[in-house]
C-alpha cells in the first residue's frame, strides 16, 4: 500500500530548480535511502516530505492527503502526528536533559510520560544517561537520543537527513540496528545519506542529481541481510 | 506527568540552566520593580513625612488673646484641649516685655518662654553655647550680644519697670538701641526696636507684630512698611510722614505710637526689680529674634512680678490643612478668651511642594518602567536570536505557533514574577533607607505593595515579550535541516 507519493514535484528558487519534476513512490513499511551529490536537492525534498516546506509545483500525497495544498497550521498537525525527524546535526534543546528532550516530543504530541520516555532511551542504550544534559553526551549519544525522540510517538514515517554523517563506525552500527528494528516493526523509513554502507542497508536507493531522479537501485540482498541481522540479534 | 507540569519544567529549566542571559532580564525587571515600589512607598509616605518635616520649620498655628485682657497661660492650655494630644508637636508661650540693662541703660525686648518647646516649634534656631537649662540664665539675640559686647557665660544685670513708666520717663538718645511698645489691634501689644541719629531721624527699625492678624497687622513687621520710617524724624505722624498699611490702620498707628514713646530710659532700677543673669547661649536666626533677649517664664516672673500672662502661643501641629482649619474653628468656637490663627504661608508651600514632588515621582516611575521594558525587550530579542535553532527544532517536533507563544510568554511572566518579588522587597528596603536617612523615621510596609509590584512587573515583562515572540513565531522549522 502506498504511503507517500511525489507527483511531478518541482521546487524553484528564482533561476535555480532545486527539484525538477521528481516522481517518487514509497510503500507503507518500506526502507528507502536517498543519495546524491551535495546540492542535488535531497534536503529540499526531505523538507517537503516532512511538511516543513511546500513544492512550487506538483502534488505530495501522504496517506492520500495532498500536503502541498494544506495550510501551515495543518502541516504542523500532520508532522506532529505522522512523522518522526532525525537530523544530521542531532539538534537537542541544550538546557534540557536527555529524557526531557524526549518528553518535549511527547509534550507537543499528546502527554509527557517520563516512564515511556525512559523506555525509549533504554531502547537506544542510554537508560543510564537519561538525566544528562546534551553537553555531557557524546555526538553519537546525542544522535541516539534524537532517534529515541523520533520514535517516541510511534510515527508512521521516519525521515532521517544524514543521521550518521557525524558518527563513528560503532555508533553508526547502533543507529542502523535501530533502523532495522523499526523496519521490522513496520515503520516506514526514508534516510538521506552520503554513505554507501548506510544506503546498502535499505531496501531501495533513489539517487538524485541536479534535482532529478537519476536512477533507482533495488537491494537484492535485503531479505538475506534482515535474516542475518535477526540471527545476530538473537545470538 | 501532566502537560502543565512539563510546561513548568521546561520554562524553569530554561531560566535556571541558561542563567547568565536570564539574569540580565531578571535584574532589569528587579531593578525596575525596586525603583517602582520604592518610589510608590515614598510617594504614599512622603505627605506624612513631609508634614512632620515642614512643621519642623516653624509653628503653623498661633494663639492670642481675643479680648482686652492679656491671655492667661491657663486659657491657652484650655485651648490646646481642642487639638488631639498626639498631633501637637510643640506649644511655645511668649510673653514680651521691655527690660533694661543696668550697666548701660539700654532697653531690649525680652521674651519669657519655655525653652524645651522653643526647640520644637523653632527647630531652625541656631544657638551658640546652649539653651538655658537652669534658672537665671538667658539666651541673647545675636544683635543684642553684638550691641552690648556680651559672650557666652557673661553675666548681665537686667532690670524691669512697668511699661507705662518706661514710656513716660524714657528719653530718646541718638545712636543707642531704643525700644518701645504700644497697644494695637484687639488690645494686643506691638513692639519696636530702633535707632536714631543726631537729628532724631530714624536709621534702623524692626517691628514685632506677632500678636496681630498676620494678613493685616502682621504686615507692619515686613520691611516694605518699616522702610517707610527710615529717615523720618521723631515724633512721626501716621498718614502724614508715613502711609499706613492698607487694612491695618490700628497696627500701623500702634507702631507709630511705640516709636514716638520709645526710649533708652535712664530711670534707675529702683523703679522695678533687677536680676543678675548668665548668658547661656547666643541665638542666630537671621530674623527679628536676633534683637531679643529670651529667658524662662519663671525668671521673667521673678523680674516683673507678673504671673501666668502670655502674649502669644506658637503651635506646631502635625495635621493636614483641613484638620488645622477644623481645630482653629473649634478653638475659636469654644474659647472666648483665645483666638487661634493659621500661620498660612508654611501650610500652603507645603501643599505646593508635595504636589510637585508627587508629579516628579510619577514621571520618574514612568521613565523607569519604559526603560525596564526596553531592556527586557532587548534581552528577550537576543534570547530569541540565540535560540533560533531550538525554536525551529520545537516547531519541527510539532509545536504550534501558540505553543511557542505560550512558552515564551511563560518564561517572561515567570521572570516578571521573580523580578517583581525581588524588586518589591528591595524597593521597600530602599524606601526604608531613604526614609530613615532623610526623614529620620521608618515606614510601614503597604500590604498591597508586593502584589502590585509583582503584577506590574509581570505585565511589563509580558508587554516586553510581544515583539520577541512575534519574531520567534516567524522562525522557519526547515532551518533545522540546513547543515548550519
Ligand atoms: N532557501 C533557499 N533559497 C535558495 N536556494 C536554496 C534554498 N534552499 C536550498 N537551495 C538550493 O537548492 C539546492 C538544493 O539544496 P539542498 O539543501 O536540497 O541540497 P542537498 O542535496 O541537501 O545537499 P547536501 O548534501 O549538501 O546537504 C542547492 O543548490 C541550494 O543552494
Ligand atoms: Mg542536505
Amino acid at each position: 500500500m502506498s504511503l507517500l507519493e511525489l507527483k511531478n514535484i518541482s521546487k524553484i528558487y528564482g533561476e535555480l530548480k532545486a527539484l525538477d519534476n521528481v516522481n517518487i513512490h514509497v510503500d507503507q513499511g518500506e526502507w528507502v535511502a536517498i543519495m546524491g551529490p551535495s546540492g542535488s536537492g535531497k534536503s529540499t525534498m526531505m523538507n517537503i516530505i516532512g511538511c516543513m516546506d511546500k513544492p512550487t509545483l506538483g502534488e505530495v500525497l501522504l496517506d492520500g492527503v495532498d500536503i502541498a495544498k494544506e495550510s501551515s497550521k495543518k502541516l504542523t498537525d500532520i508532522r506532529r502526528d505522522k512523522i518522526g525527524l532525525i537530523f544530521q546535526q542531532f539538534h537537542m534543546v541544550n538546557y534540557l536533559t536527555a529524557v526531557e528532550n524526549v518528553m518535549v516530543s511527547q509534550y507537543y504530541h499528546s502527554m509527557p510520560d517520563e516512564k515511556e520516555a525512559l523506555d525509549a532511551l533504554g531502547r537506544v542504550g542510554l537508560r543510564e544517561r537519561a538525566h544528562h544534559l546534551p553537553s555531557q553526551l557524546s555526538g553519537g549519544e546525542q544522535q541516539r537520543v534524537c532517534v529515541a525522540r523520533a520514535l517516541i510517538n510511534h510515527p508512521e514515517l521516519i525521515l532521517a537527513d544524514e543521521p550518521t554523517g557525524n558518527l563513528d563506525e560503532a555508533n553508526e552500527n547502533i543507529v542502523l540496528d535501530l533502523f532495522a528494528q523499526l523496519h521490522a516493526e513496520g515503520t516506514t523509513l526514508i534516510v538521506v545519506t552520503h554513505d554507501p554502507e548506510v544506503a546498502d542497508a535499505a531496501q531501495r536507493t533513489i539517487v538524485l542529481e541536479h534535482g532529478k531522479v537519476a536512477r533507482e537501485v533495488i537491494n537484492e540482498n535485503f531479505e538475506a541481510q534482515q535474516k542475518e541481522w535477526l540471527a545476530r540479534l538473537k545470538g | 506527568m501532566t502537560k502543565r507540569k512539563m510546561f513548568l519544567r521546561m520554562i524553569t529549566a530554561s531560566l535556571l540552566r541558561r542563567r547568565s542571559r536570564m539574569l540580565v532580564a531578571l535584574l532589569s525587571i528587579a531593578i525596575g520593580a525596586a525603583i517602582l515600589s520604592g518610589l510608590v512607598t515614598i510617594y504614599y509616605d512622603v505627605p506624612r513625612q513631609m508634614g512632620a518635616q515642614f512643621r519642623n520649620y516653624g509653628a503653623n498655628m498661633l494663639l492670642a488673646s481675643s479680648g482686652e485682657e492679656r491671655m492667661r497661660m491657663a486659657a491657652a492650655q484650655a485651648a490646646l484641649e481642642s487639638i488631639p494630644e498626639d498631633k501637637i508637636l510643640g506649644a511655645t508661650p511668649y510673653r514680651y516685655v521691655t527690660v533694661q540693662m543696668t550697666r548701660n541703660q539700654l532697653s531690649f525686648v525680652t521674651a519669657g518662654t519655655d525653652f524645651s518647646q522653643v526647640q520644637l516649634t523653632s527647630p531652625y534656631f541656631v544657638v551658640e553655647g546652649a539653651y538655658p537649662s537652669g534658672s537665671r540664665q538667658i539666651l541673647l539675640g545675636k544683635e543684642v550680644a553684638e550691641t552690648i559686647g556680651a559672650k557666652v557665660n557673661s553675666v548681665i544685670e537686667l532690670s524691669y519697670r512697668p511699661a507705662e513708666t518706661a514710656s513716660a520717663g524714657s528719653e530718646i538718645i541718638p545712636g543707642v538701641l531704643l525700644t518701645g511698645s504700644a497697644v494695637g489691634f484687639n488690645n494686643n501689644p506691638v513692639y519696636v526696636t530702633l535707632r536714631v541719629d543726631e537729628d532724631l531721624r530714624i536709621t534702623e527699625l524692626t517691628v514685632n507684630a506677632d500678636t496681630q492678624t498676620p494678613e493685616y497687622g502682621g504686615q507692619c513687621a515686613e520691611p516694605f512698611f518699616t522702610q517707610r520710617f527710615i529717615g523720618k524724624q521723631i515724633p512721626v505722624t501716621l498718614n502724614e510722614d508715613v502711609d499706613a498699611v492698607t487694612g491695618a490702620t490700628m497696627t500701623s498707628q500702634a507702631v507709630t505710637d511705640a516709636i514716638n514713646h520709645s526710649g533708652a530710659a535712664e530711670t534707675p532700677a529702683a523703679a522695678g526689680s533687677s536680676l543678675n543673669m548668665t548668658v547661656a547661649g547666643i541665638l542666630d536666626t537671621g530674623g527679628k529674634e536676633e534683637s531679643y533677649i529670651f529667658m524662662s517664664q519663671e525668671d521673667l516672673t521673678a523680674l516683673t512680678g507678673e504671673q501666668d500672662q502670655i502674649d502669644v502661643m506658637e503651635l506646631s501641629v502635625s495635621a493636614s490643612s483641613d484638620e488645622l482649619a477644623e481645630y482653629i474653628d473649634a478653638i475659636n468656637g469654644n474659647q472666648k478668651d483665645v483666638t487661634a490663627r493659621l500661620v498660612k504661608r508654611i501650610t500652603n508651600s507645603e501643599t505646593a511642594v508635595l504636589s510637585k514632588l508627587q508629579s516628579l515621582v510619577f514621571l520618574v516611575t514612568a521613565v523607569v518602567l519604559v526603560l525596564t521594558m526596553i531592556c527586557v525587550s532587548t534581552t528577550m530579542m537576543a534570547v530569541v536570536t540565540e535560540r533560533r535553532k531550538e525554536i525551529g527544532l520545537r516547531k519541527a517536533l510539532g509545536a504550534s505557533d501558540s505553543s511557542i507563544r505560550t512558552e515564551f510568554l511563560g518564561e517572561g511572566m515567570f521572570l516578571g514574577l521573580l523580578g517583581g518579588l525581588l524588586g518589591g522587597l528591595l524597593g521597600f528596603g530602599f524606601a526604608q533607607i531613604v526614609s530613615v536617612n532623610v526623614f529620620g523615621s521608618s515606614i510601614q510596609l503597604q500590604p498591597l505593595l508586593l502584589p502590585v509590584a509583582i503584577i506590574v512587573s509581570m505585565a511589563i515583562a509580558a508587554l516586553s515579550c510581544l515583539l520577541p515572540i512575534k519574531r520567534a513565531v516567524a522562525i522557519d522549522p526547515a532551518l533545522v535541516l540546513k547543515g548550519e
Side-chain angles (χ1 to χ4, degrees):
Chain A
M1 199 186 79
S2 154
L3 174 72
L4 176 73
E5 214 171 332
L6 305 190
K7 288 185 178 168
N8 306 320
I9 286 295
S10 292
K11 180 73 184 177
I12 302 166
Y13 295 112
E15 300 279 280
L16 179 90
K17 286 187 170 174
L19 291 176
D20 188 1
N21 204 25
V22 171
N23 284 285
I24 288 176
H25 174 103
V26 177
D27 274 335
Q28 188 98 50
E30 232 188 325
W31 181 353
V32 178
I34 295 177
M35 290 190 76
S38 186
S40 56
K42 305 182 296 292
S43 294
T44 304
M45 196 167 87
M46 291 298 259
N47 273 336
I48 291 170
I49 300 170
C51 297
M52 293 186 286
D53 204 352
K54 288 182 188 179
T56 316
L57 297 167
E59 272 180 24
V60 184
L61 296 176
L62 182 64
D63 262 346
V65 177
D66 185 1
I67 58 176
K69 292 194 175 59
E70 295 294 345
S71 69
S72 66
K73 190 173 180 317
K74 191 77 209 287
L75 287 181
T76 302
D77 293 345
I78 295 172
R79 179 167 66 239
R80 189 182 57 212
D81 295 340
K82 300 197 168 162
I83 299 170
L85 291 164
I86 300 167
F87 322 101
Q88 177 178 5
Q89 241 62 30
F90 27 86
H91 291 284
M92 288 176 75
V93 180
N94 58 16
Y95 54 84
L96 295 180
T97 61
V99 68
E100 284 168 345
N101 263 278
V102 177
M103 285 161 74
V104 166
S105 193
Q106 292 177 313
Y107 171 76
Y108 291 126
H109 182 264
S110 47
M111 272 295 161
D113 181 337
E114 189 155 10
K115 201 184 149 295
E116 205 178 300
L118 286 171
D119 288 347
L121 283 176
R123 218 174 145 185
V124 298
L126 288 173
R127 182 64 185 74
E128 304 306 310
R129 313 298 306 274
H131 298 290
H132 286 78
L133 288 170
S135 58
Q136 298 163 321
L137 299 174
S138 76
E141 287 164 341
Q142 288 186 48
Q143 189 62 303
R144 278 145 67 190
V145 174
C146 292
V147 173
R149 184 176 64 193
L151 56 83
I152 188 73
N153 294 325
H154 310 292
E156 278 177 73
L157 173 61
I158 284 187
L159 294 179
D161 195 349
E162 302 259 16
T164 58
N166 289 327
L167 300 186
D168 65 359
E169 182 94 18
N171 273 300
E172 182 177 309
N173 285 331
I174 294 174
V175 172
L176 286 181
D177 272 357
L178 281 165
F179 284 175
Q181 210 177 335
L182 287 168
H183 171 73
E185 289 165 9
T187 310
T188 312
L189 290 158
I190 302 179
V191 181
V192 168
T193 185
H194 277 120
D195 186 343
E197 254 181 73
V198 176
D200 286 347
Q203 271 171 305
R204 180 157 64 106
T205 301
I206 297 169
V207 180
L208 288 183
E209 267 167 26
H210 304 296
K212 291 182 203 273
V213 178
R215 59 189 177 277
E216 279 193 38
V217 186
I218 309 285
N219 183 356
E220 307 287 0
N221 282 336
F222 187 72
E223 300 288 319
Q225 276 171 5
Q226 282 297 94
K227 272 195 189 114
E228 195 184 313
W229 173 77
L230 269 174
R232 183 154 50 90
L233 207 67
K234 280 176 188 151
Chain B
M1 178 178 287
T2 62
K3 283 194 94 146
R4 171 150 354 124
K5 262 195 190 148
M6 183 66 191
F7 174 73
L8 289 176
R9 192 160 162 183
M10 286 193 303
I11 62 172
T12 47
S14 165
L15 295 178
L16 294 179
R17 297 196 187 129
R18 307 171 55 255
R19 256 168 270 158
S20 59
R21 177 64 83 182
M22 284 320 192
L23 222 57
V24 177
L26 180 68
L27 218 65
S28 54
I29 295 179
I31 290 172
I35 296 178
L36 174 78
S37 82
L39 286 181
V40 167
T41 304
I42 292 176
Y43 175 85
Y44 280 111
D45 215 58
V46 145
R48 192 171 69 76
Q49 303 276 16
M50 290 289 275
Q53 202 67 16
F54 268 108
R55 236 85 58 200
N56 283 345
Y57 287 99
N60 53 356
M61 203 194 281
L62 208 67
L63 302 181
S65 168
S66 55
E68 309 235 322
E69 295 280 297
R70 189 163 283 129
M71 184 163 61
R72 294 267 152 196
M73 192 65 187
Q77 234 107 49
L80 289 186
E81 313 255 300
S82 300
I83 305 171
E85 201 172 339
D86 60 327
K87 299 269 186 183
I88 303 176
L89 303 178
T92 314
Y94 287 101
R95 166 75 181 111
Y96 298 105
V97 296
T98 306
V99 160
Q100 269 191 324
M101 243 161 244
T102 315
R103 184 168 58 84
N104 51 19
Q105 300 299 321
L106 294 178
S107 296
F108 295 98
V109 173
T110 298
T113 187
D114 178 347
F115 287 110
S116 67
Q117 298 297 311
V118 168
Q119 293 170 61
L120 298 174
T121 54
S122 304
Y124 54 89
F125 277 12
V126 179
V127 173
E128 181 200 331
Y131 275 104
S133 52
S135 64
R136 305 296 181 261
Q137 291 188 340
I138 52 173
L139 186 64
L140 283 191
K142 196 171 138 202
E143 203 184 309
V144 179
E146 278 166 9
T147 307
I148 64 172
K151 300 218 158 45
V152 174
N153 291 332
S154 301
V155 175
I156 294 166
E157 189 184 353
L158 297 177
S159 55
Y160 172 79
R161 290 166 301 137
E164 311 81 59
T165 27
S167 303
S170 65
E171 198 178 318
I172 294 172
I173 304 167
V176 309
L177 202 65
L178 309 171
T179 61
S181 65
V183 169
F185 185 67
N186 248 356
N187 243 23
N188 287 322
V190 171
Y191 302 90
V192 298
T193 45
L194 65 152
R195 283 178 212 272
V196 295
D197 62 13
E198 300 298 331
D199 299 330
L200 299 189
R201 289 183 190 278
I202 299 170
T203 56
E204 276 177 32
L205 172 68
T206 54
V207 173
N208 176 350
D210 285 355
T211 61
Q212 311 289 299
T213 321
E215 299 90 324
Y216 304 105
Q219 298 293 311
C220 292
E222 300 296 324
F224 82 88
F225 181 66
T226 57
Q227 285 301 316
R228 295 180 189 171
F229 288 88
I230 303 301
K232 297 291 183 296
Q233 197 173 29
I234 292 179
V236 187
T237 314
L238 191 67
N239 292 334
E240 224 166 85
D241 296 319
V242 290
D243 291 331
V245 171
T246 318
T249 318
M250 286 182 80
T251 311
S252 304
Q253 185 61 56
V255 169
T256 315
D257 291 347
I259 290 169
N260 292 338
H261 293 116
S262 67
E266 287 177 61
T267 327
S273 62
S274 65
L275 287 173
N276 274 326
M277 307 290 268
T278 308
V279 177
I282 291 169
L283 178 64
D284 185 350
T285 67
K288 60 184 189 312
E289 298 87 356
E290 289 187 2
S291 59
Y292 298 168
I293 298 172
F294 293 85
M295 62 176 67
S296 69
Q297 286 175 295
E298 294 75 26
D299 285 347
L300 194 73
T301 299
L303 195 61
T304 62
E306 67 170 44
Q307 289 261 358
D308 201 29
Q309 300 193 357
I310 58 174
D311 287 308
V312 292
M313 181 173 262
E314 285 186 356
L315 297 183
S316 177
V317 182
S318 171
S320 66
S321 24
D322 289 347
E323 287 172 314
L324 279 178
E326 202 178 292
Y327 303 148
I328 286 170
D329 286 348
I331 292 170
N332 291 342
N334 300 338
Q335 306 288 326
K336 61 178 173 48
D337 298 333
V338 177
T339 327
R341 282 200 307 262
L342 203 59
V343 179
K344 271 222 174 79
R345 233 167 346 143
I346 292 171
T347 331
N348 282 346
S349 64
E350 185 175 325
T351 323
V353 168
L354 273 184
S355 70
K356 272 189 193 129
L357 201 91
Q358 296 191 330
S359 30
L360 187 73
V361 166
F362 263 133
L363 198 73
V364 171
T365 307
V367 168
V368 166
L369 289 185
V370 169
L371 284 180
T372 306
M373 227 154 94
I374 292 172
C375 189
V376 175
S377 190
T378 313
T379 310
M380 289 307 278
M381 212 65 149
V383 165
V384 168
T385 311
E386 198 179 83
R387 292 166 70 179
R388 270 170 61 82
K389 282 210 151 175
E390 182 205 321
I391 295 160
L393 171 66
R394 284 176 183 276
K395 288 184 139 189
L397 292 178
S400 60
D401 288 356
S402 67
S403 319
I404 298 287
R405 224 173 265 136
T406 320
E407 278 158 36
F408 268 85
L409 210 59
E411 283 190 22
M413 306 268 275
F414 193 69
L415 276 179
L417 177 83
L418 280 181
L421 185 69
L422 200 72
L425 290 173
L426 272 178
F428 178 71
F430 152 79
Q432 188 71 272
I433 290 169
V434 167
S435 179
V436 168
N437 285 325
V438 177
F439 299 110
S441 72
S442 66
I443 42 185
Q444 288 206 317
L445 182 62
Q446 299 266 341
L448 270 179
L449 183 74
L450 270 189
V452 167
I454 290 171
I455 288 169
V456 171
S457 303
M458 286 174 82
I460 292 284
L463 270 178
S464 313
C465 284
L466 290 186
L467 212 64
I469 285 173
K470 209 170 153 194
R471 193 179 265 197
V473 164
I475 288 172
D476 182 2
L479 79 90
V480 290
L481 283 188
K482 295 249 160 67
E484 279 172 18

